[in-house]
Amino acid sequence: GAVVSQHPSRVICKSGTSVKIECRSLDFQATTMFWYRQFPKQSLMLMATSNEGSKATYEQGVEKDKFLINHASLTLSTLTVTSAHPEDSSFYICSARVASYEQYFGPGTRLTVT
Amino acid sequence: GENVEQHPSTLSVQEGDSAVIKCTYSDSASNYFPWYKQELGKRPQLIIDIRSNVGEKKDQRIAVTLNKTAKHFSLHITETQPEDSAVYFCAAGGGSYIPTFGRGTSLIVHP
């Protein structure tokens, strides 16, 4: 299947700082990528849909000024958590859509805000 | 929007038994139904999917069935093994496929 990488895998930052997470499709071009947040023992919560060359579409309740998404190329989307707080600590996972339906996930980023 | 319900939340079976996980969806426009397996701390992995023009699909020990009239689909795992232990998520999506995930089922296979 298609390979999606995510970097970093783990990050610890201090409250008030910003953190950037990168999501790359390694062997295919992805016009659409998705960003999810996952709390322990819970499902994947879709945060936003990232389309190459256009603004991201955010789900209801997700602050677009806090979670900045940039999809500058067909293989890279970034999520920046601005002014992070402890409640932003979570597992963030990106995915990329192949063709019309199939979706492949990155390995996730464990964010801890102290 | 789409609403996906998944049951059970936890499923415990003995090695060699079968396991069945069920999902229902609300949007009749949904036409793609994937299943993902997620091991602790790892990414969800697509294990099988089905489209609305098919009623059943099988891949070795895994099968998925779809009843469009009733708006439900199920994952069947036969001859379960300890390495099948994981959280399984169903999802449903339409033509543009903004996926909606179920809440997940924690499958525990006891050796």
Side-chain angles (χ1 to χ4, degrees), chain B residues 29-75:
Chain B
S30 289
N31 56 10
Y32 178 61
F33 309 91
W35 285 88
Y36 293 87
K37 175 184 180 182
Q38 186 179 28
E39 297 177 11
L40 189 63
K42 297 190 176 180
R43 77 183 85 193
Q45 298 267 21
L46 178 68
I47 57 172
I48 196 166
D49 56 15
I50 192 167
R51 300 193 187 185
S52 59
N53 58 347
V54 176
E56 183 175 357
K57 185 176 178 180
K58 192 173 181 179
D59 182 4
Q60 298 183 348
R61 295 187 297 109
I62 294 172
V64 57
T65 58
L66 171 65
N67 183 327
K68 282 216 74 180
T69 303
K71 294 199 196 72
H72 67 69
F73 56 113
S74 300
L75 177 71

Tab-separated table of all heavy atoms in Angstrom, chain B residues 29-75:
chain	number	residue	atom	x	y	z
B	29	ALA	N	-26.292	7.830	1.257
B	29	ALA	CA	-25.372	8.176	0.167
B	29	ALA	C	-23.989	7.561	0.362
B	29	ALA	O	-23.191	7.511	-0.576
B	29	ALA	CB	-25.245	9.689	0.038
B	30	SER	N	-23.690	7.088	1.554
B	30	SER	CA	-22.380	6.468	1.794
B	30	SER	C	-22.229	5.243	0.918
B	30	SER	O	-23.155	4.431	0.790
B	30	SER	CB	-22.226	6.084	3.270
B	30	SER	OG	-22.080	7.244	4.060
B	31	ASN	N	-21.056	5.098	0.313
B	31	ASN	CA	-20.865	3.976	-0.594
B	31	ASN	C	-19.504	3.308	-0.459
B	31	ASN	O	-19.117	2.484	-1.303
B	31	ASN	CB	-21.083	4.433	-2.048
B	31	ASN	CG	-20.183	5.591	-2.425
B	31	ASN	OD1	-19.276	5.948	-1.690
B	31	ASN	ND2	-20.441	6.189	-3.566
B	32	TYR	N	-18.772	3.666	0.589
B	32	TYR	CA	-17.466	3.044	0.809
B	32	TYR	C	-17.308	2.772	2.299
B	32	TYR	O	-17.512	3.674	3.125
B	32	TYR	CB	-16.353	3.967	0.305
B	32	TYR	CG	-14.957	3.423	0.524
B	32	TYR	CD1	-14.560	2.222	-0.055
B	32	TYR	CD2	-14.042	4.101	1.303
B	32	TYR	CE1	-13.290	1.724	0.141
B	32	TYR	CE2	-12.768	3.606	1.517
B	32	TYR	CZ	-12.397	2.414	0.928
B	32	TYR	OH	-11.139	1.920	1.127
B	33	PHE	N	-16.936	1.520	2.624
B	33	PHE	CA	-16.934	1.100	4.024
B	33	PHE	C	-15.658	0.334	4.332
B	33	PHE	O	-15.562	-0.877	4.140
B	33	PHE	CB	-18.170	0.224	4.310
B	33	PHE	CG	-19.443	0.867	3.853
B	33	PHE	CD1	-19.941	0.636	2.588
B	33	PHE	CD2	-20.139	1.724	4.694
B	33	PHE	CE1	-21.111	1.244	2.141
B	33	PHE	CE2	-21.312	2.335	4.269
B	33	PHE	CZ	-21.799	2.097	2.991
B	34	PRO	N	-14.653	1.031	4.840
B	34	PRO	CA	-13.395	0.367	5.185
B	34	PRO	C	-13.348	-0.051	6.649
B	34	PRO	O	-14.077	0.489	7.491
B	34	PRO	CB	-12.363	1.463	4.911
B	34	PRO	CG	-13.085	2.729	5.223
B	34	PRO	CD	-14.548	2.493	4.894
B	35	TRP	N	-12.464	-0.997	6.918
B	35	TRP	CA	-12.186	-1.407	8.290
B	35	TRP	C	-10.696	-1.239	8.546
B	35	TRP	O	-9.869	-1.601	7.714
B	35	TRP	CB	-12.575	-2.873	8.503
B	35	TRP	CG	-14.053	-3.087	8.594
B	35	TRP	CD1	-14.916	-3.317	7.572
B	35	TRP	CD2	-14.842	-3.097	9.789
B	35	TRP	NE1	-16.197	-3.468	8.046
B	35	TRP	CE2	-16.177	-3.342	9.409
B	35	TRP	CE3	-14.553	-2.931	11.149
B	35	TRP	CZ2	-17.227	-3.428	10.325
B	35	TRP	CZ3	-15.593	-3.005	12.067
B	35	TRP	CH2	-16.911	-3.259	11.657
B	36	TYR	N	-10.381	-0.706	9.736
B	36	TYR	CA	-9.000	-0.475	10.108
B	36	TYR	C	-8.674	-1.216	11.392
B	36	TYR	O	-9.510	-1.340	12.289
B	36	TYR	CB	-8.728	1.023	10.318
B	36	TYR	CG	-8.815	1.839	9.058
B	36	TYR	CD1	-10.030	2.367	8.626
B	36	TYR	CD2	-7.684	2.074	8.280
B	36	TYR	CE1	-10.112	3.106	7.460
B	36	TYR	CE2	-7.762	2.824	7.108
B	36	TYR	CZ	-8.985	3.329	6.709
B	36	TYR	OH	-9.065	4.056	5.553
B	37	LYS	N	-7.418	-1.666	11.479
B	37	LYS	CA	-6.908	-2.298	12.691
B	37	LYS	C	-5.839	-1.392	13.271
B	37	LYS	O	-4.929	-0.967	12.552
B	37	LYS	CB	-6.293	-3.665	12.342
B	37	LYS	CG	-5.615	-4.372	13.504
B	37	LYS	CD	-4.969	-5.673	13.014
B	37	LYS	CE	-4.272	-6.401	14.152
B	37	LYS	NZ	-3.596	-7.653	13.672
B	38	GLN	N	-5.958	-1.081	14.552
B	38	GLN	CA	-4.970	-0.215	15.176
B	38	GLN	C	-4.411	-0.891	16.417
B	38	GLN	O	-5.139	-1.148	17.385
B	38	GLN	CB	-5.567	1.154	15.549
B	38	GLN	CG	-4.522	2.135	16.066
B	38	GLN	CD	-5.108	3.490	16.415
B	38	GLN	OE1	-6.272	3.613	16.767
B	38	GLN	NE2	-4.289	4.538	16.325
B	39	GLU	N	-3.122	-1.170	16.381
B	39	GLU	CA	-2.437	-1.689	17.553
B	39	GLU	C	-2.004	-0.514	18.425
B	39	GLU	O	-1.872	0.614	17.945
B	39	GLU	CB	-1.264	-2.556	17.130
B	39	GLU	CG	-1.722	-3.782	16.339
B	39	GLU	CD	-0.569	-4.637	15.834
B	39	GLU	OE1	0.569	-4.404	16.255
B	39	GLU	OE2	-0.824	-5.528	15.014
B	40	LEU	N	-1.775	-0.780	19.688
B	40	LEU	CA	-1.513	0.268	20.662
B	40	LEU	C	-0.345	1.161	20.238
B	40	LEU	O	0.748	0.676	19.970
B	40	LEU	CB	-1.220	-0.362	22.028
B	40	LEU	CG	-1.141	0.606	23.203
B	40	LEU	CD1	-2.472	1.302	23.424
B	40	LEU	CD2	-0.709	-0.127	24.469
B	41	GLY	N	-0.610	2.453	20.157
B	41	GLY	CA	0.432	3.421	19.824
B	41	GLY	C	0.839	3.454	18.370
B	41	GLY	O	1.803	4.136	18.010
B	42	LYS	N	0.105	2.734	17.519
B	42	LYS	CA	0.476	2.668	16.112
B	42	LYS	C	-0.622	3.242	15.231
B	42	LYS	O	-1.674	3.631	15.688
B	42	LYS	CB	0.804	1.224	15.730
B	42	LYS	CG	2.003	0.669	16.480
B	42	LYS	CD	2.433	-0.661	15.908
B	42	LYS	CE	3.701	-1.143	16.612
B	42	LYS	NZ	4.169	-2.450	16.072
B	43	ARG	N	-0.322	3.304	13.961
B	43	ARG	CA	-1.268	3.881	13.014
B	43	ARG	C	-2.376	2.895	12.679
B	43	ARG	O	-2.167	1.684	12.711
B	43	ARG	CB	-0.535	4.266	11.721
B	43	ARG	CG	-0.208	3.090	10.801
B	43	ARG	CD	0.579	3.551	9.587
B	43	ARG	NE	1.993	3.630	9.849
B	43	ARG	CZ	2.863	4.238	9.054
B	43	ARG	NH1	2.460	4.833	7.953
B	43	ARG	NH2	4.148	4.275	9.348
B	44	PRO	N	-3.546	3.375	12.330
B	44	PRO	CA	-4.587	2.480	11.813
B	44	PRO	C	-4.154	1.908	10.467
B	44	PRO	O	-3.629	2.623	9.617
B	44	PRO	CB	-5.798	3.409	11.641
B	44	PRO	CG	-5.506	4.592	12.510
B	44	PRO	CD	-4.016	4.749	12.470
B	45	GLN	N	-4.381	0.617	10.294
B	45	GLN	CA	-4.023	-0.068	9.057
B	45	GLN	C	-5.294	-0.557	8.381
B	45	GLN	O	-6.112	-1.226	9.027
B	45	GLN	CB	-3.109	-1.262	9.337
B	45	GLN	CG	-1.774	-0.916	9.979
B	45	GLN	CD	-0.670	-0.721	8.959
B	45	GLN	OE1	-0.935	-0.462	7.792
B	45	GLN	NE2	0.565	-0.836	9.392
B	46	LEU	N	-5.438	-0.243	7.121
B	46	LEU	CA	-6.585	-0.724	6.362
B	46	LEU	C	-6.479	-2.235	6.195
B	46	LEU	O	-5.474	-2.737	5.694
B	46	LEU	CB	-6.613	-0.046	4.988
B	46	LEU	CG	-7.723	-0.475	4.032
B	46	LEU	CD1	-9.076	-0.011	4.537
B	46	LEU	CD2	-7.459	0.076	2.633
B	47	ILE	N	-7.489	-2.965	6.639
B	47	ILE	CA	-7.430	-4.420	6.534
B	47	ILE	C	-8.389	-4.968	5.477
B	47	ILE	O	-8.118	-6.007	4.871
B	47	ILE	CB	-7.686	-5.114	7.892
B	47	ILE	CG1	-9.042	-4.691	8.486
B	47	ILE	CG2	-6.559	-4.844	8.857
B	47	ILE	CD1	-9.437	-5.492	9.717
B	48	ILE	N	-9.470	-4.306	5.254
B	48	ILE	CA	-10.424	-4.718	4.233
B	48	ILE	C	-11.415	-3.583	4.014
B	48	ILE	O	-11.646	-2.767	4.922
B	48	ILE	CB	-11.148	-6.028	4.630
B	48	ILE	CG1	-11.844	-6.669	3.420
B	48	ILE	CG2	-12.129	-5.793	5.764
B	48	ILE	CD1	-12.291	-8.104	3.658
B	49	ASP	N	-11.953	-3.508	2.828
B	49	ASP	CA	-12.973	-2.504	2.548
B	49	ASP	C	-14.009	-3.084	1.591
B	49	ASP	O	-13.778	-4.112	0.963
B	49	ASP	CB	-12.375	-1.211	1.989
B	49	ASP	CG	-11.537	-1.437	0.719
B	49	ASP	OD1	-11.633	-2.518	0.100
B	49	ASP	OD2	-10.773	-0.534	0.340
B	50	ILE	N	-15.136	-2.422	1.532
B	50	ILE	CA	-16.205	-2.880	0.641
B	50	ILE	C	-16.931	-1.665	0.091
B	50	ILE	O	-17.076	-0.643	0.778
B	50	ILE	CB	-17.169	-3.840	1.385
B	50	ILE	CG1	-18.099	-4.553	0.404
B	50	ILE	CG2	-17.962	-3.115	2.463
B	50	ILE	CD1	-18.847	-5.716	1.029
B	51	ARG	N	-17.354	-1.799	-1.139
B	51	ARG	CA	-18.114	-0.713	-1.758
B	51	ARG	C	-19.563	-1.142	-1.897
B	51	ARG	O	-19.893	-2.328	-1.828
B	51	ARG	CB	-17.493	-0.345	-3.105
B	51	ARG	CG	-16.070	0.108	-2.934
B	51	ARG	CD	-15.491	0.782	-4.147
B	51	ARG	NE	-14.067	1.036	-3.942
B	51	ARG	CZ	-13.304	1.701	-4.795
B	51	ARG	NH1	-13.819	2.178	-5.914
B	51	ARG	NH2	-12.023	1.892	-4.543
B	52	SER	N	-20.416	-0.180	-2.123
B	52	SER	CA	-21.850	-0.436	-1.995
B	52	SER	C	-22.410	-1.332	-3.084
B	52	SER	O	-23.542	-1.784	-2.987
B	52	SER	CB	-22.619	0.880	-1.976
B	52	SER	OG	-22.373	1.595	-3.157
B	53	ASN	N	-21.647	-1.585	-4.130
B	53	ASN	CA	-22.154	-2.462	-5.179
B	53	ASN	C	-21.833	-3.937	-4.918
B	53	ASN	O	-22.091	-4.798	-5.753
B	53	ASN	CB	-21.578	-2.045	-6.540
B	53	ASN	CG	-20.071	-2.060	-6.566
B	53	ASN	OD1	-19.423	-2.150	-5.522
B	53	ASN	ND2	-19.500	-1.969	-7.749
B	54	VAL	N	-21.279	-4.190	-3.735
B	54	VAL	CA	-20.911	-5.554	-3.361
B	54	VAL	C	-21.524	-5.877	-2.015
B	54	VAL	O	-21.577	-5.021	-1.129
B	54	VAL	CB	-19.377	-5.690	-3.284
B	54	VAL	CG1	-18.976	-7.073	-2.810
B	54	VAL	CG2	-18.755	-5.402	-4.645
B	55	GLY	N	-22.002	-7.125	-1.837
B	55	GLY	CA	-22.619	-7.493	-0.574
B	55	GLY	C	-21.673	-8.149	0.405
B	55	GLY	O	-21.889	-8.107	1.612
B	56	GLU	N	-20.588	-8.753	-0.140
B	56	GLU	CA	-19.655	-9.454	0.739
B	56	GLU	C	-18.280	-9.474	0.080
B	56	GLU	O	-18.148	-9.541	-1.143
B	56	GLU	CB	-20.135	-10.883	0.996
B	56	GLU	CG	-19.263	-11.671	1.963
B	56	GLU	CD	-19.839	-13.041	2.291
B	56	GLU	OE1	-20.938	-13.360	1.809
B	56	GLU	OE2	-19.194	-13.777	3.056
B	57	LYS	N	-17.272	-9.419	0.928
B	57	LYS	CA	-15.898	-9.496	0.429
B	57	LYS	C	-15.086	-10.274	1.444
B	57	LYS	O	-15.259	-10.097	2.657
B	57	LYS	CB	-15.326	-8.091	0.240
B	57	LYS	CG	-13.938	-8.027	-0.378
B	57	LYS	CD	-13.548	-6.569	-0.597
B	57	LYS	CE	-12.153	-6.440	-1.162
B	57	LYS	NZ	-11.794	-5.005	-1.359
B	58	LYS	N	-14.202	-11.127	0.940
B	58	LYS	CA	-13.443	-11.973	1.846
B	58	LYS	C	-11.955	-11.913	1.502
B	58	LYS	O	-11.575	-11.850	0.337
B	58	LYS	CB	-13.941	-13.414	1.744
B	58	LYS	CG	-13.429	-14.338	2.826
B	58	LYS	CD	-14.111	-15.690	2.751
B	58	LYS	CE	-13.617	-16.598	3.863
B	58	LYS	NZ	-14.269	-17.927	3.835
B	59	ASP	N	-11.130	-11.943	2.540
B	59	ASP	CA	-9.685	-11.974	2.354
B	59	ASP	C	-9.112	-12.866	3.435
B	59	ASP	O	-8.923	-12.452	4.581
B	59	ASP	CB	-9.094	-10.563	2.441
B	59	ASP	CG	-7.591	-10.550	2.191
B	59	ASP	OD1	-7.009	-11.607	1.884
B	59	ASP	OD2	-6.991	-9.468	2.294
B	60	GLN	N	-8.870	-14.117	3.091
B	60	GLN	CA	-8.352	-15.124	4.008
B	60	GLN	C	-9.278	-15.256	5.226
B	60	GLN	O	-10.425	-15.659	5.078
B	60	GLN	CB	-6.913	-14.771	4.399
B	60	GLN	CG	-5.975	-14.759	3.193
B	60	GLN	CD	-4.524	-14.476	3.550
B	60	GLN	OE1	-4.186	-14.078	4.641
B	60	GLN	NE2	-3.643	-14.688	2.583
B	61	ARG	N	-8.820	-14.897	6.414
B	61	ARG	CA	-9.650	-15.093	7.604
B	61	ARG	C	-10.591	-13.922	7.880
B	61	ARG	O	-11.357	-13.955	8.844
B	61	ARG	CB	-8.736	-15.302	8.827
B	61	ARG	CG	-7.896	-16.551	8.797
B	61	ARG	CD	-7.156	-16.773	10.110
B	61	ARG	NE	-6.203	-15.696	10.399
B	61	ARG	CZ	-6.365	-14.788	11.350
B	61	ARG	NH1	-7.445	-14.796	12.132
B	61	ARG	NH2	-5.439	-13.859	11.564
B	62	ILE	N	-10.520	-12.916	7.058
B	62	ILE	CA	-11.322	-11.710	7.290
B	62	ILE	C	-12.376	-11.577	6.199
B	62	ILE	O	-12.096	-11.807	5.022
B	62	ILE	CB	-10.416	-10.465	7.290
B	62	ILE	CG1	-9.461	-10.524	8.482
B	62	ILE	CG2	-11.231	-9.185	7.335
B	62	ILE	CD1	-8.406	-9.435	8.462
B	63	ALA	N	-13.579	-11.206	6.616
B	63	ALA	CA	-14.649	-10.961	5.652
B	63	ALA	C	-15.467	-9.768	6.129
B	63	ALA	O	-15.547	-9.475	7.327
B	63	ALA	CB	-15.544	-12.190	5.511
B	64	VAL	N	-16.038	-9.083	5.175
B	64	VAL	CA	-16.940	-7.976	5.492
B	64	VAL	C	-18.234	-8.183	4.714
B	64	VAL	O	-18.211	-8.601	3.556
B	64	VAL	CB	-16.296	-6.608	5.167
B	64	VAL	CG1	-15.884	-6.518	3.719
B	64	VAL	CG2	-17.220	-5.471	5.541
B	65	THR	N	-19.341	-7.938	5.388
B	65	THR	CA	-20.648	-8.021	4.747
B	65	THR	C	-21.328	-6.673	4.827
B	65	THR	O	-21.118	-5.921	5.785
B	65	THR	CB	-21.542	-9.083	5.413
B	65	THR	OG1	-21.693	-8.756	6.806
B	65	THR	CG2	-20.927	-10.459	5.291
B	66	LEU	N	-22.133	-6.369	3.840
B	66	LEU	CA	-22.822	-5.082	3.769
B	66	LEU	C	-24.281	-5.302	3.435
B	66	LEU	O	-24.610	-6.018	2.488
B	66	LEU	CB	-22.176	-4.199	2.707
B	66	LEU	CG	-22.900	-2.898	2.348
B	66	LEU	CD1	-22.923	-1.935	3.526
B	66	LEU	CD2	-22.245	-2.240	1.129
B	67	ASN	N	-25.154	-4.684	4.217
B	67	ASN	CA	-26.584	-4.688	3.945
B	67	ASN	C	-26.998	-3.232	3.766
B	67	ASN	O	-27.197	-2.507	4.738
B	67	ASN	CB	-27.353	-5.336	5.105
B	67	ASN	CG	-28.837	-5.433	4.837
B	67	ASN	OD1	-29.425	-4.582	4.169
B	67	ASN	ND2	-29.465	-6.488	5.347
B	68	LYS	N	-27.111	-2.806	2.525
B	68	LYS	CA	-27.419	-1.392	2.257
B	68	LYS	C	-28.830	-1.025	2.668
B	68	LYS	O	-29.103	0.095	3.074
B	68	LYS	CB	-27.208	-1.098	0.771
B	68	LYS	CG	-25.775	-0.930	0.372
B	68	LYS	CD	-25.623	0.132	-0.700
B	68	LYS	CE	-25.795	1.532	-0.140
B	68	LYS	NZ	-25.648	2.575	-1.164
B	69	THR	N	-29.739	-1.972	2.552
B	69	THR	CA	-31.126	-1.683	2.917
B	69	THR	C	-31.225	-1.347	4.389
B	69	THR	O	-31.885	-0.389	4.795
B	69	THR	CB	-32.026	-2.875	2.592
B	69	THR	OG1	-31.898	-3.186	1.197
B	69	THR	CG2	-33.487	-2.564	2.913
B	70	ALA	N	-30.549	-2.151	5.189
B	70	ALA	CA	-30.587	-1.954	6.638
B	70	ALA	C	-29.530	-0.964	7.110
B	70	ALA	O	-29.504	-0.598	8.288
B	70	ALA	CB	-30.408	-3.296	7.339
B	71	LYS	N	-28.663	-0.575	6.235
B	71	LYS	CA	-27.561	0.336	6.557
B	71	LYS	C	-26.684	-0.230	7.669
B	71	LYS	O	-26.418	0.440	8.687
B	71	LYS	CB	-28.075	1.731	6.947
B	71	LYS	CG	-28.765	2.505	5.834
B	71	LYS	CD	-28.798	3.979	6.190
B	71	LYS	CE	-29.794	4.749	5.353
B	71	LYS	NZ	-31.190	4.443	5.712
B	72	HIS	N	-26.246	-1.456	7.478
B	72	HIS	CA	-25.258	-1.975	8.413
B	72	HIS	C	-24.259	-2.863	7.704
B	72	HIS	O	-24.525	-3.424	6.643
B	72	HIS	CB	-25.904	-2.639	9.629
B	72	HIS	CG	-26.649	-3.899	9.354
B	72	HIS	ND1	-26.074	-5.085	8.985
B	72	HIS	CD2	-27.976	-4.157	9.472
B	72	HIS	CE1	-27.002	-6.008	8.852
B	72	HIS	NE2	-28.155	-5.474	9.134
B	73	PHE	N	-23.066	-2.913	8.272
B	73	PHE	CA	-21.991	-3.724	7.737
B	73	PHE	C	-21.214	-4.332	8.897
B	73	PHE	O	-21.210	-3.775	10.005
B	73	PHE	CB	-21.088	-2.932	6.782
B	73	PHE	CG	-20.473	-1.676	7.344
B	73	PHE	CD1	-19.103	-1.593	7.550
B	73	PHE	CD2	-21.252	-0.556	7.640
B	73	PHE	CE1	-18.526	-0.432	8.045
B	73	PHE	CE2	-20.677	0.599	8.132
B	73	PHE	CZ	-19.310	0.661	8.335
B	74	SER	N	-20.630	-5.466	8.640
B	74	SER	CA	-19.994	-6.226	9.721
B	74	SER	C	-18.634	-6.756	9.288
B	74	SER	O	-18.422	-7.067	8.118
B	74	SER	CB	-20.873	-7.406	10.134
B	74	SER	OG	-22.139	-6.975	10.582
B	75	LEU	N	-17.770	-6.888	10.269
B	75	LEU	CA	-16.448	-7.498	10.071
B	75	LEU	C	-16.460	-8.862	10.742
B	75	LEU	O	-16.871	-8.980	11.904
B	75	LEU	CB	-15.355	-6.618	10.681
B	75	LEU	CG	-13.933	-7.172	10.619
B	75	LEU	CD1	-13.418	-7.136	9.180
B	75	LEU	CD2	-12.999	-6.385	11.530
